[in-house]
Amino acid sequence: MDTLKQKKCLDQSLKRLGRSKVDLLLMHWPGPGYSAMGRSKERIAKEGIQCYYKKGHEDIAALRLESWRAMEDAYLSGKCKAIGISNFSESHLRKLLDWDQLRVRPSVHQTELHPYLQQKGVVELCEKEGILLQAYASLGGQDTKDGHWKALKQPALLDHPAVVKAAKAHSSTSACVLLRWALQKGWAVIPKSSSKTRIAANVAVAFELSSDEMAALDALDLGGMKGRLCWRRDELRDLEFE
């Protein structure tokens, strides 16, 4: 998104919210905007995934920096208290931090993190640079179905024996164990539920996982991006956007 459009979008959002500023403004993902939500595999095979890029989004690396510049302007003008990124790879983040025109560093990186997908390179870089990690899909993600777990040759996160064992040991739930694991890593978590009962239950994390329990959950990492559970049917998800 170009600078003027991004500023206009933020101003419209502030107007709708009835606020003069927001706490946090995020760049949702490092890839291009696309022209259709339903994307044909046949067309992609014939024309390439770029056929769905919005016009003007071909040089995505330059567009990312342009978008960040607009976010810096929003921060410096007082329209947001912090700015951050979402779904960046280690490479994307390094290139942003190494940009010779960088004025404001990202405060937050919101990304998919759970025992099957631990993104160790991204985590280590964020910790080194003082960037708060905010984990989404901590409980397994809303896109997953039984067939996906079979493809991974893994049980659903909530049903994994290591998770269930820890839940029983603390008279808690599998969901709370997964949230507690992330919190003990020092990450923020944003679990999603439409159930008032589950929302209330998900804050009951005032217990401590033992070092052995943490190690058992750490051992579930499938390596690289193999454990990714979100956007699993999206042809764009595995592109590098360099």
Side-chain angles (χ1 to χ4, degrees), residues 52-101:
Y52 283 112
Y53 286 12
K54 281 189 175 180
K55 185 178 180 181
H57 285 208
E58 293 79 16
D59 188 353
I60 191 59
L63 190 60
R64 266 200 309 273
L65 297 180
E66 185 179 350
S67 295
W68 188 255
R69 173 52 52 86
M71 293 172 67
E72 289 177 323
D73 289 343
Y75 172 81
L76 294 170
S77 66
K79 292 183 178 180
C80 50
K81 295 180 182 178
I83 53 178
I85 54 176
S86 186
N87 301 303
F88 271 42
S89 68
E90 182 180 354
S91 174
H92 297 143
L93 179 52
R94 286 190 184 279
K95 288 179 179 178
L96 177 59
L97 294 174
D98 291 342
W99 187 29
D100 60 5
Q101 297 181 46

Side-chain angles (χ1 to χ4, degrees), residues 5 26 34 37 40 53 58 66 69 87 90 92 121 137-138 152 167 174 178 189 192 234 240:
K5 286 184 179 178
L26 292 178
Y34 38 85
M37 290 302 292
S40 163
Y53 286 12
E58 293 79 16
E66 185 179 350
R69 173 52 52 86
N87 301 303
E90 182 180 354
H92 297 143
S138 298
L152 285 177
S174 292
L178 290 168
V189 291
K192 178 182 178 182
D234 196 324
E240 291 297 328

